[in-house]
Amino acid sequence: MSVKEKLNNMQTSILVMIVFILPTLVLSSHNNYPLSMPSCNDNSCGDIRIPFPFGTTRECYLTIQFWVTCNRTDVDHPKLFWGESEVEITDIYLDGQMRVMQYIAEDCYYRNGSSSSNNNPWIELATYFTVNNTANKFTIVGCDAYALVSGTRLARSFTTGCTAMCSSEADLTEGSCAGVGCCQTPIPQNVSRVEVEVKSYSNYTDVWDFNNCGYAFVVQDTAFNFSKDNLTNLSNVIELPMVVDWVIRNGTCEEAKTNATTYACVSANSECYKPTNGYGYRCRCVDGFEGNPYLSKGCIDIDECAATNHNNCTMKEYCNNEEGTYTCSCPDTHDGDGKGEHGCVLLQKKHNMKIAYVLIGVACGIITLLLAIILLYLELKRRSRRKTKHKFFLQNGGDKLQEKLATREASPDMVTIFSSSELEKATNCFHDSMIIGRGGFGTVYKGVLADRRTVAIKRSIKVDLTQIEQFINEVVVLSQINHKNVVRLLGCCLETDVPLLVYEFINNGTLSSHLHNKAKANVLDWNTRLKIATETAEVLSYLHSSASTPIIHRDVKPDNILLDHTFTAKVSDFGASRLVPVDLAQLSTMVQGTFGYLDPEYMQTNQLTEKSDVYSFGVVLLELITGRGALSFDRPIEEKSLANYFLSVLRQDLLFEILDENIVGLENMEEISVVSVLAKECLNVRGEDRPSMKEVAMELQGLILGGKHSWARINNVHDEEEMESFIRIEDGMSHFGNGDKNSSVEYDSISRDHILLPTDGGR
């Protein structure tokens, strides 16, 4: 090794020793309270003070475990040792810790094939002493080394270890001890004996150029910070500091207090406590006192008012020291408790502050009063809203609906009574952006319920309070309709001025919006239209003959036939429907419906029958095969009414001229002809001459299944002139609609929530 390298190593060694020794010098404070027994003059060794229970002679230490010796061979640097051992002590603290120097284990290999090692350095502690498991770390330094630390804890053996590897100096990181060049691991609690051993995996053959030794040691965590230079300079360091915990005696505080002769906390202002690490007990001075609690007069009062001590008096000169504490005061020109930044206030300033406090108090009182008024107003408003909701709930028949539901067994199909707050959240307080349909009798909103179901919510404009009983009956019955082609009624809300009806949401708009839009009509080929007609007929047949209570829809039209994404028909808008009494074949009611679809017989007689739905469905069939609306005010007078015009062209055998060009084809003309004749049958003036919806559904099903025309009375002779006369009646009445193709007749039921969806709307 060159002279320059030796000098560098010596400088490094000196720096390492300074780092290790400096904390000891700083922590060895010289306080003014007694540390040793009064009869002991030998209470220090160089800069290291020796507090009782430690001592160098029998009269100076408590028990033999606390015996220390001072080697003054080097007058300038005497060393303190633990009894007669070679364990050097660098500091002793009354809080139960002691710093000792621990040897480093070393294992080296040289180019000439020789090796040297200093393995198995050990330290064995006396009773009451253990290695601190939080302040120390077992550390290994090297690039081809593994090390073990073993020993005794709680009268049993233990072993743990660590490995340090690297392939080049570039792998090393300053300050990092995670396994590359350096590895650290904690040691267990209550360790009384430590033995260290370090070995090499391959005699450093792969890292010979920069490292040929491995080092292992137990060291105080704050006293060692890994550096790349440690691979070489640790060979010049013999020992490193390690922290040892001590207790005054074994046993708990409660056990110790029972024996006055051996109880160690003898100072008048001391207390016993259990240490965090180790076992046994220790003593300390209570708050406000400092010193050695193991001496009879060891804990003395702390003068918090001394210049070097801390206190929180506003004016330091007015700090008054007392036994175990202190007080603060203010001069005569000031007032206050004397503590903190504003503890002393000039009397005039205090007067101003009192005024400020009064003003602040008044302001706080006013604010509190305003908050109380606001809270009272909000509570009264909440109660008023709750009372109003309850009033509407009763007014809309909520109690009657609950009674009817209570008589039924609970089932998934049972109608749900929603709260108004639920539907407000679902529709963002019925915001305009949620509107998907608007008509003369109300508005339809799209909503998303708390369970993430998308629904359509119908909100009426007005309600007939005389029909509440009928409305409740219809809600209960309609909620029981379980048909795949019916828009299901999920429930209602009765806490608003008018009832809100909640339906399942259908996302592809109405049949009308597809038929009367050129772009969308191209998608509706003949097979799709025939399927829609069949599904609609099946629904009406189900309502008339298969439902638990027969139901007349009363407003069958393309606007009330919704389509889903697969173009499956969903019949909707049962707001105008009527339940058919068991003992009556027909109902007498004010005329209600949409012009162009109204049954002529119903318009003349006010007698509503199931055949009224048949007539309306016949007009729907016409729209499916012609693509025209039921009423077209922009066409010539003879073409204004689709039903009238259809009969005219059918009589002239010119049906082909009014067919929708999107469905015309040689392969389906026979089916179109059959549907045309079926529509003609549905449009008979007299209801008794029309087929039932069950017969209509069967006929359409036969077409889809490829069957032959089974029952349609093609050759039946009808009074077409009589039919045309009734159609003209309807045609004349339609002028009251002011040109609106969807104009509706007023009616007498709570079902005045009949709503016309826009052509591009969906539910």
Side-chain angles (χ1 to χ4, degrees):
M1 183 180 293
S2 67
V3 175
K4 183 177 181 181
E5 289 176 336
K6 290 182 178 179
L7 288 174
N8 288 337
N9 287 338
M10 291 179 62
Q11 291 174 353
T12 303
S13 300
I14 293 172
L15 289 175
V16 171
M17 293 302 294
I18 290 175
V19 170
F20 294 154
I21 294 173
L22 184 59
T24 300
L25 298 178
V26 173
L27 293 174
S28 297
S29 60
H30 295 275
N31 297 313
N32 295 322
Y33 48 78
L35 288 180
S36 304
M37 297 290 285
S39 60
C40 295
N41 296 323
D42 195 8
N43 57 8
S44 66
C45 182
D47 292 328
I48 305 173
R49 303 192 69 186
I50 307 173
F52 184 80
F54 293 87
T56 57
T57 60
R58 179 64 192 88
E59 63 272 13
C60 295
Y61 57 76
L62 180 65
T63 61
I64 192 65
Q65 288 87 352
F66 297 100
W67 176 37
V68 295
T69 56
C70 184
N71 185 343
R72 294 184 171 85
T73 304
D74 186 346
V75 177
D76 295 329
H77 301 288
K79 292 184 178 182
L80 185 67
F81 292 92
W82 198 350
E84 295 180 339
S85 70
E86 296 181 359
V87 178
E88 181 184 355
I89 300 173
T90 60
D91 220 331
I92 301 174
Y93 304 100
L94 281 171
D95 62 359
Q97 289 189 346
M98 181 172 69
R99 197 198 318 258
V100 301
M101 300 303 290
Q102 165 73 346
Y103 287 104
I104 298 177
E106 181 182 79
D107 187 36
C108 297
Y109 294 83
Y110 306 100
R111 294 183 183 275
N112 60 10
S114 63
S115 64
S116 65
S117 66
N118 176 24
N119 266 317
N120 301 322
W122 59 274
I123 181 170
E124 185 163 358
L125 306 178
T127 307
Y128 310 150
F129 293 82
T130 56
V131 178
N132 188 296
N133 68 300
T134 58
N136 301 304
K137 285 287 193 306
F138 176 56
T139 306
I140 176 173
V141 174
C143 283
D144 180 34
Y146 65 92
L148 299 176
V149 57
S150 57
T152 306
R153 60 180 298 269
L154 300 177
R156 298 180 64 180
S157 299
F158 82 94
T159 302
T160 186
C162 211
T163 298
M165 303 293 291
C166 61
S167 57
S168 68
E169 286 188 276
D171 296 339
L172 305 177
T173 303
E174 293 287 332
S176 175
C177 202
V180 180
C182 177
C183 179
Q184 284 186 329
T185 186
I187 61 175
Q189 282 185 309
N190 304 317
V191 171
S192 58
R193 185 177 185 276
V194 174
E195 185 174 337
V196 179
E197 182 180 10
V198 59
K199 295 290 183 181
S200 170
Y201 284 107
S202 58
N203 300 343
Y204 295 89
T205 55
D206 295 331
V207 293
W208 195 273
D209 56 334
F210 67 94
N211 176 231
N212 68 320
C213 292
Y215 309 93
F217 43 87
V218 177
V219 64
Q220 183 179 358
D221 193 21
T222 57
F224 179 78
N225 188 37
F226 175 70
S227 170
K228 296 179 181 180
D229 295 335
N230 294 148
L231 293 178
T232 56
N233 64 21
L234 283 178
S235 61
N236 300 314
V237 179
I238 300 175
E239 297 176 305
L240 290 174
M242 180 179 72
V243 178
V244 173
D245 291 330
W246 60 269
V247 295
I248 192 65
R249 291 189 190 280
N250 290 337
T252 65
C253 289
E254 290 73 16
E255 294 170 346
K257 291 176 182 178
T258 60
N259 191 339
T261 58
T262 59
Y263 184 54
C265 305
V266 297
S267 180
N269 297 298
S270 66
E271 62 182 1
C272 177
Y273 73 97
K274 183 184 183 305
T276 303
N277 296 316
Y279 49 87
Y281 74 93
R282 295 193 193 122
C283 304
R284 63 188 173 195
C285 296
V286 299
D287 292 343
F289 293 84
E290 63 180 353
N292 192 332
Y294 304 104
L295 298 175
S296 59
K297 297 181 180 180
C299 292
I300 63 174
D301 175 54
I302 298 174
D303 185 2
E304 291 89 355
C305 296
T308 57
N309 291 339
H310 172 74
N311 61 72
N312 69 337
C313 292
T314 307
M315 299 181 177
K316 303 302 180 183
E317 63 272 24
Y318 286 92
C319 177
N320 310 302
N321 185 59
E322 297 181 2
E323 185 77 6
T325 184
Y326 70 97
T327 60
C328 302
S329 59
C330 296
D332 295 338
T333 56
H334 293 70
D335 192 19
D337 61 2
K339 295 181 179 180
E341 184 180 354
H342 305 292
C344 293
V345 182
L346 282 170
L347 293 178
Q348 180 60 38
K349 186 176 180 181
K350 180 182 178 183
H351 176 70
N352 295 337
M353 289 182 66
K354 285 183 177 179
I355 296 176
Y357 289 149
V358 171
L359 294 176
I360 292 173
V362 171
C364 291
I366 293 174
I367 292 173
T368 303
L369 180 61
L370 289 175
L371 288 175
I373 292 173
I374 292 172
L375 291 175
L376 179 61
Y377 169 75
L378 293 176
E379 176 62 19
L380 292 176
K381 188 175 181 181
R382 185 184 66 83
R383 292 186 181 182
S384 176
R385 288 186 61 188
R386 187 170 60 184
K387 186 176 180 181
T388 301
K389 288 181 180 180
H390 185 65
K391 183 189 75 172
F392 286 142
F393 184 79
L394 297 178
Q395 174 182 296
N396 292 326
D399 54 341
K400 296 182 178 64
L401 180 57
Q402 287 179 331
E403 289 177 8
K404 291 182 179 296
L405 294 178
T407 60
R408 297 171 175 265
E409 294 184 1
S411 69
D413 297 329
M414 185 174 289
V415 63
T416 300
I417 300 178
F418 294 94
S419 66
S420 58
S421 58
E422 285 182 274
L423 301 189
E424 286 175 358
K425 290 179 182 178
T427 59
N428 193 17
C429 292
F430 295 98
H431 194 270
D432 288 348
S433 62
M434 306 298 286
I435 294 175
I436 57 174
R438 196 192 298 271
F441 298 107
T443 308
V444 178
Y445 295 84
K446 179 181 178 181
V448 180
L449 300 177
D451 59 5
R452 300 190 178 275
R453 282 186 298 167
T454 303
V455 296
I457 301 171
K458 181 180 292 187
R459 186 179 192 179
S460 306
I461 293 177
K462 55 184 177 178
V463 64
D464 188 346
L465 298 179
T466 64
Q467 300 293 317
I468 290 296
E469 185 76 30
Q470 176 68 13
F471 165 73
I472 295 301
N473 288 335
E474 294 181 15
V475 167
V476 173
V477 174
L478 292 176
S479 67
Q480 304 302 313
I481 296 177
N482 186 16
H483 195 283
K484 64 183 179 67
N485 297 112
V486 171
V487 178
R488 186 180 165 210
L489 175 65
L490 302 177
C492 62
C493 173
L494 305 175
E495 292 180 347
T496 53
D497 53 345
V498 293
L500 302 176
L501 299 178
V502 182
Y503 296 90
E504 67 171 317
F505 181 79
I506 309 300
N507 60 2
N508 201 18
T510 66
L511 174 60
S512 178
S513 67
H514 286 269
L515 283 176
H516 307 310
N517 181 293
K518 288 185 178 180
K520 293 182 178 181
N522 291 333
V523 181
L524 293 180
D525 57 17
W526 170 245
N527 289 332
T528 302
R529 299 188 190 201
L530 183 59
K531 172 176 169 289
I532 293 170
T534 304
E535 291 171 342
T536 305
E538 289 175 347
V539 169
L540 296 176
S541 174
Y542 168 81
L543 296 177
H544 292 176
S545 56
S546 299
S548 57
T549 302
I551 301 171
I552 301 175
H553 190 283
R554 290 216 297 182
D555 199 16
V556 179
K557 59 183 179 181
D559 277 325
N560 290 335
I561 301 172
L562 305 181
L563 303 176
D564 66 9
H565 63 284
T566 63
F567 290 96
T568 298
K570 298 279 188 176
V571 177
S572 69
D573 206 341
F574 287 85
S577 63
R578 280 287 191 173
L579 307 182
V580 180
V582 177
D583 57 343
L584 293 179
Q586 57 189 15
L587 296 173
S588 177
T589 175
M590 289 181 62
V591 174
Q592 178 190 346
T594 304
F595 289 122
Y597 303 92
L598 279 170
D599 174 11
E601 187 176 59
Y602 170 41
M603 293 173 63
Q604 278 196 337
T605 64
N606 284 2
Q607 298 298 314
L608 178 66
T609 69
E610 297 169 350
K611 296 298 182 71
S612 298
D613 282 349
V614 176
Y615 182 89
S616 301
F617 180 74
V619 180
V620 172
L621 287 179
L622 296 185
E623 291 195 55
L624 285 169
I625 63 178
T626 66
R628 300 187 179 204
L631 290 176
S632 302
F633 294 98
D634 56 345
R635 294 182 180 273
I637 187 71
E638 64 274 7
E639 298 182 22
K640 183 174 62 173
S641 170
L642 178 59
N644 188 26
Y645 185 54
F646 167 75
L647 293 175
S648 174
V649 298
L650 195 63
R651 201 167 45 242
Q652 300 174 46
D653 200 18
L654 298 175
L655 176 63
F656 183 80
E657 294 184 2
I658 65 170
L659 295 180
D660 190 338
E661 60 183 9
N662 293 308
I663 65 171
V664 174
L666 293 177
E667 70 282 357
N668 56 24
M669 282 308 299
E670 182 179 354
E671 291 182 349
I672 293 175
S673 298
V674 173
V675 173
S676 299
V677 174
L678 182 60
K680 177 176 175 291
E681 291 291 316
C682 293
L683 296 176
N684 277 318
V685 174
R686 292 188 301 176
E688 62 184 22
D689 294 333
R690 302 170 198 156
S692 67
M693 283 310 307
K694 185 174 183 180
E695 293 172 324
V696 174
M698 290 175 60
E699 181 69 14
L700 293 173
Q701 289 171 355
L703 288 178
I704 288 181
L705 296 175
K708 296 184 178 180
H709 192 55
S710 60
W711 58 265
R713 294 160 287 180
I714 300 176
N715 298 319
N716 192 24
V717 179
H718 298 283
D719 188 355
E720 295 180 358
E721 292 182 359
E722 182 181 358
M723 181 183 296
E724 291 178 23
S725 66
F726 280 108
I727 293 174
R728 293 191 191 99
I729 293 173
E730 181 188 351
D731 186 23
M733 292 181 66
S734 66
H735 287 290
F736 292 105
N738 296 323
D740 183 0
K741 69 176 182 178
N742 287 324
S743 297
S744 301
V745 179
E746 184 66 33
Y747 54 100
D748 63 339
S749 167
I750 194 168
S751 304
R752 286 177 179 166
D753 58 352
H754 171 68
I755 297 173
L756 307 179
L757 297 176
T759 56
D760 59 347
R763 197 187 308 236

